[in-house]
């Protein structure tokens, strides 16, 4: 794969206008729509390549929300090669996997020490706000090589002219770029210039919330449930599950409670902060072990949200003219494999590879096609496995062997970007 990319960059793979030599004197002007994890990672990589990057973000990041996310070895490897170590901002390594049935009986207790040795990089659990902050600082700071990216907050992009690389903000202001990256998440507006694809319910919704570990430890009923540190624990019912894992140096426990969509009446919403109540959660998980219900009752109500898990048909392409999609805009992920952020980061690293310093503007359209060619098969395969991992258990067994799948797909750098 590496050889394939390198040869391609020198024209042997590209038809039509190649070969291209990367010695163009001026940096590319790159506009990124959306400063989520994907947009910021792309900004960081592309500024390091010496390009001039502008990020347009609709929000003010004033009330950043979100709970813990996974930084599996594949995503962590990208950060580490760029000198970013997630343990420096509260990430912890996932050292154990414990599975229970809904009545509390233990099904599995796997020490991941061996797996962690086999994996090329640690599997980290990190609060989304911490990694978002870190990427934002690195992309825009004076240090870090190249030209600092400019972040424009409260700057909602209203329309894009993909052929001419022009974006228009809601305010009416416009900007012209050599490349426009649509990194505007699952409800992407950039995507409609490729296809007005339909989002549909995956059949599941999730409550997500945080509980301080010390609160759970202080109660003798719930303390035994949180005795393992650095562990991901799952309680499985037939069609619903509770997933718990720590973040912030083990001080917070992050919960994702996945259940049939119809039960919490989550509605399609572009907000990550749609509030829910503990009564709703307890109703959906009424059949679960009383100790587990006591545990989830300790929720910090300010953190309790409900989130409808959406899916989308595959797009015919990720790029048209000067526009290219990245992350959830290109391939929205259900969260069952913890790969939404990881795949957005792999996209960003691949774009960084195909647009090195010195890229000529005439080469861009073919480079963007090359990016899609590199990324599409893997991103869609992982998207499909995420769907399978979220399926209800049949005859007491999950739809896929999660450990085998994990070792194979996320344990290593699939592509050494
Ligand atoms: P996103 O992270 O969704 O980022 C898209 C960005 O684009 C957002 O900042 C959005 O405000 C911006 N945007 C959208 N439209 C426009 C526009 N027209 N103009 C300008 N800007 C625009 N995943 C989890 O697994 N657990 C969580 O707890 C969790 N919390 C989240 C909280 C928030 C606030 C967000 C935005 C996402 C959250 N996610 C969470 C999703 C997860 O971060 C993404 O699925 C994954 O990181 C892929 O990232 P992305 O960059 O493609 O999209």
């Amino acid at each position: 794969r590496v050889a394939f990319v390198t040869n391609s960059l020198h024209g042997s793979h590209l038809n039509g206008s190649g070969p291209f030599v990367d010695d163009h004197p001026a940096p590319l002007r790159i506009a990124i729509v959306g400063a989520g994890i994907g947009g910021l990672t792309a900004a960081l990589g592309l500024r390091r390549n010496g390009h001039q990057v502008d990020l347009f973000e609709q929000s003010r990041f004033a009330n950043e929300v979100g709970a813990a996310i996974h930084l599996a070895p594949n995503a962590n490897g990208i950060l580490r090669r760029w000198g970013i170590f997630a343990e420096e901002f509260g990430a912890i390594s996932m050292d154990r996997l414990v599975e229970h049935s809904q009545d509390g009986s233990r099904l599995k207790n796997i020490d991941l020490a061996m797996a962690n040795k086999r994996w090329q990089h640690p599997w980290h659990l990190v609060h989304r706000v911490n990694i978002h902050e870190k990427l934002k600082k690195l992309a825009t700071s004076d240090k870090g090589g190249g030209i600092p990216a400019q972040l424009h907050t409260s700057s909602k992009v209203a329309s894009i002219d993909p052929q001419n690389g022009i974006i228009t903000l809601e305010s009416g202001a416009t900007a012209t770029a050599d490349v426009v990256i649509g990194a505007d998440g699952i409800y992407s507006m950039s995507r409609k210039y490729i296809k007005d694809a339909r989002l549909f319910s995956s059949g599941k919704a999730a409550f997500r919330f945080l509980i301080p570990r010390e609160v759970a430890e202080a109660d003798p009923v719930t303390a035994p449930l949180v005795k393992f540190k650095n562990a991901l624990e799952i309680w499985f019912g037939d069609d619903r599950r509770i997933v718990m894992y720590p973040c912030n140096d083990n001080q917070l426990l992050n919960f994702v409670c996945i259940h049939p969509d119809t039960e919490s009446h989550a509605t399609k919403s572009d907000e990550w902060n749609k509030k829910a109540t503990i009564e709703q959660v307890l109703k959906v998980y009424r059949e679960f072990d009383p100790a587990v219900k006591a545990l989830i009752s300790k929720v910090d109500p300010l953190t309790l949200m409900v989130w409808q898990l959406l899916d989308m048909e595959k797009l015919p392409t990720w790029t048209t003219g000067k526009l290219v999609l990245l992350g959830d805009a290109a391939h929205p992920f259900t969260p069952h494999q913890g790969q939404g952020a990881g795949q957005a980061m792999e996209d960003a690293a691949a774009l960084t590879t195909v647009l090195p310093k010195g890229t000529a503007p005439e080469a861009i359209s073919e480079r963007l096609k090359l990016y899609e060619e590199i990324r599409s098969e893997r991103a869609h395969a992982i998207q499909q496995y995420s769907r399978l991992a979220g399926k209800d258990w049949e005859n007491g067994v999950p739809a896929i062997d999660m450990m085998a799948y994990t070792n194979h797909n996320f344990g290593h750098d699939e592509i050494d970007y």
Side-chain angles (χ1 to χ4, degrees), residues 48-331:
R48 286 160 55 112
N49 284 357
H51 299 307
Q52 188 185 314
V53 180
D54 283 89
L55 283 149
F56 297 91
E57 166 59 42
Q58 64 183 3
S59 74
R60 288 187 295 127
F61 296 137
N63 301 307
E64 254 302 63
V65 291
I69 58 172
H70 287 253
L71 262 186
N74 60 321
N76 224 355
I78 293 168
L79 294 184
R80 291 167 94 83
R81 262 184 273 111
W82 290 0
I84 305 167
F85 295 90
E87 51 273 49
E88 291 170 7
F89 46 93
I92 53 170
S93 73
M94 185 172 74
D95 293 343
R96 183 172 294 279
L97 170 69
V98 189
E99 293 183 356
H100 317 259
S101 58
Q102 71 174 34
D103 66 6
S105 49
R106 193 180 286 170
L107 302 168
K108 270 187 199 162
N109 181 358
I110 304 174
D111 180 347
L112 296 176
M114 280 311 290
N116 264 307
K117 280 195 189 126
R118 223 171 28 234
W119 293 333
Q120 200 173 340
H121 305 282
W123 187 305
H124 274 144
L125 306 166
V126 62
H127 199 295
R128 184 182 181 276
V129 172
N130 294 3
I131 184 168
H132 190 264
E133 269 299 308
K134 183 72 182 179
L135 289 169
K136 192 166 71 177
K137 272 204 192 103
L138 290 173
T140 57
S141 82
D142 290 338
K143 297 180 198 129
I147 311 166
Q150 296 293 312
L151 173 61
H152 311 271
T153 52
S154 305
S155 298
K156 183 167 184 169
V157 175
S159 66
I160 301 172
D161 170 353
Q163 297 316 317
N164 296 305
I166 300 171
I167 63 167
T168 304
L169 304 185
E170 247 185 2
S171 64
T174 60
T176 305
D178 299 306
V179 181
V180 178
I181 300 176
D184 46 351
I186 185 162
Y187 298 98
S188 170
M189 61 78 62
S190 313
R191 188 196 292 139
K192 75 175 181 212
Y193 296 96
I194 289 173
K195 184 169 184 196
D196 206 356
R198 193 175 62 89
L199 291 170
F200 54 89
S201 168
S202 67
K204 301 282 182 195
F207 295 110
R208 60 194 181 95
F209 52 91
L210 297 166
I211 296 177
R213 175 184 286 278
E214 60 181 12
V215 171
E217 283 173 345
D219 179 344
V221 174
T222 56
L225 300 183
V226 299
K227 73 173 182 196
F228 293 122
K229 291 201 168 159
N230 294 52
L232 183 134
E233 306 211 24
I234 311 180
W235 286 265
F236 285 100
D238 286 343
D239 61 354
R240 60 203 68 201
R241 61 186 72 170
I242 295 176
V243 183
M244 171 180 87
Y245 55 90
C247 63
N248 285 34
D249 293 322
N250 269 307
Q251 290 165 22
L252 287 175
L253 293 164
N254 178 68
F255 287 81
V256 186
C257 305
I258 299 168
H259 53 275
D261 201 356
T262 44
E263 296 233 14
S264 59
H265 304 289
T267 48
K268 185 170 158 255
S269 158
D270 61 356
E271 292 177 351
W272 277 90
N273 48 2
K274 189 172 186 306
K275 292 273 182 203
T277 65
I278 184 59
E279 290 73 29
Q280 277 176 287
V281 185
L282 289 173
K283 189 169 168 218
V284 172
Y285 292 92
R286 56 192 173 274
E287 307 288 342
F288 276 53
D289 176 21
V292 175
K293 286 192 283 190
L295 178 61
I296 59 182
S297 299
K298 297 185 186 304
V299 56
D300 170 355
L302 287 177
T303 67
L304 176 51
M305 313 288 170
V306 63
W307 156 39
Q308 194 187 30
L309 307 180
L310 296 174
D311 204 340
M312 192 186 80
E313 62 185 292
K314 187 177 169 188
L315 293 175
T317 175
W318 295 358
T319 178
T320 177
K322 297 180 177 184
L323 172 67
V324 66
L325 301 181
L326 166 159
D328 281 356
H331 43 67

